[in-house]
Amino acid sequence: MSDMKFETKVIHAGIDPDPSTGAIMTPIYQTSTYVQDGPGKHKGYEYGRTQNPTRTALENNLAQLENGRHGLAFGSGLAAMDAVLKLLDPGDEIISTNDLYGGSYRQMVQIYARYGVVAHFIDFSDKQQFKDTLNERTKLIWIETPTNPMLQIVDIRDVCKAVAKKDILTCVDNTFASPYLQNPLDLGADIVLHSATKYLAGHSDVILGALVCNDEKLAEKLRFLQNAIGAVPGPQDCFLTLRGIKTLHLRVQRASDNATEIAAFLKKSRKVDKVYYPGFIDFPNHEVAKKQMRHYGAMVSFTLKNDSKRAANRVLNRTKIFSLAESLGGVESLIGHPASMTHGSIPKKERLAIGLTDSLIRLSIGVEHVDDLIGDLRESLK
Ligand SMILES: *Cc1c(COP(=O)(O)O)cnc(C)c1O
């Protein structure tokens, strides 16, 4: 079945009619335990933290969407990340993208630093910086691409190739692209992480995380951590994520098409200073995005000529269709202010160094009609 096209996999991969009733939709197995025929004689399911059939269907589906062999679901994207970081020992070092999801940065700097894990945040397009940071203690490369919220592109194949012969794991947070646009395992990564809360579930009604990998031993370690820590999703959230995934290709395609038009509109606006969108041919690493992604994604960031929080607030408070909220990847369009919302925990100096200024506004483009979205932005920018 692995030769199915992506559009078929989202609907069928890993999902079989329920063996006991034939139900076409995977049932929500709302149970904490399973009756055994005799001591230790069971049907592969012993306890709800360890296994749940709704979760198994989701995990198998996710694995195939990322062209991987093993999928693991977690209670959130950050819980999935926690499992990856727990592969490390005190003294180990991480090299990570410098423009990172705020919660991922917080986990490395405020939690794992206390356990002796050192994280370096670099610009991967600066090859010398990468070389200088790499050392014998480096055990994990953490890549986000496109990054949040500056939408920088990291060449996944390039970075993975540079450490392929070393005892270093590479993990790509593929949340912003979704597996419809980008498949990091195919480009040499060891682990793919998703906040399924975003595009995968796609309807802003679930918090869920996932990991996908190919290596059997690595999967075993991660599955051990998943069970030993217990940050697993409930069956209802697995069901909702499975349901959301069935339209992933339709949603991400439309949202990305909308984003292309909106980015072009913003670029022409007299009120707008910079527009960050990997689809622009003059955007840094546009060629890499073109090579490793199927489309340029549905996230667009921009700054205002009047670079102040006040000016940004005026725009943020005036949109009627774009809702002011954290998060992304739902069917509805969202507008946000990273400096005071998602990136509040990143020091101002580090924030400004990557161009995340006070007026930077981030858009998560949804699947509404693009004319309504552009009209809403036009009015709000006046
Ligand atoms: C939201 C997000 C996360 C964290 O996921 P949760 O499901 O909220 O825990 C991690 N990485 C990126 C890029 C995100 O957007």
Side-chain angles (χ1 to χ4, degrees), residues 137-157:
R137 292 182 300 278
T138 309
K139 286 290 172 310
L140 176 65
I141 307 286
W142 192 269
I143 300 171
E144 220 180 281
T145 181
T147 63
N148 175 28
M150 307 311 293
L151 305 170
Q152 292 169 43
I153 301 295
V154 177
D155 191 327
I156 299 173
R157 193 188 287 280

Side-chain angles (χ1 to χ4, degrees), residues 76-78 101 104 144 173 175-176 195 197-198 207-208 328:
S76 71
L78 288 181
Y101 177 71
S104 306
E144 220 180 281
D173 181 339
T175 301
F176 265 43
S195 169
T197 310
K198 317 295 167 53
I207 300 285
L208 195 138
L328 61 122

Side-chain angles (χ1 to χ4, degrees), residues 271 273 303-312 314 358-359:
K271 299 286 167 66
D273 187 20
T303 58
L304 301 171
K305 289 248 166 73
N306 176 357
D307 184 33
S308 67
K309 269 191 186 168
R310 265 190 66 211
R314 273 200 297 273
D358 286 343
S359 76

Side-chain angles (χ1 to χ4, degrees), residues 87-94 116-119 136-140:
L87 295 168
L88 302 177
D89 291 315
D92 288 353
E93 296 191 5
I94 307 168
V117 173
V118 179
E136 70 281 359
R137 292 182 300 278
T138 309
K139 286 290 172 310
L140 176 65

Side-chain angles (χ1 to χ4, degrees), residues 2 11 30 35 38 108 129 157 197 209 258 327 334 344 362:
S2 58
I11 295 164
Q30 195 76 48
V35 176
M108 290 181 193
Q129 196 186 7
R157 193 188 287 280
T197 310
N258 283 352
S327 198
L334 300 180
R362 191 191 79 173

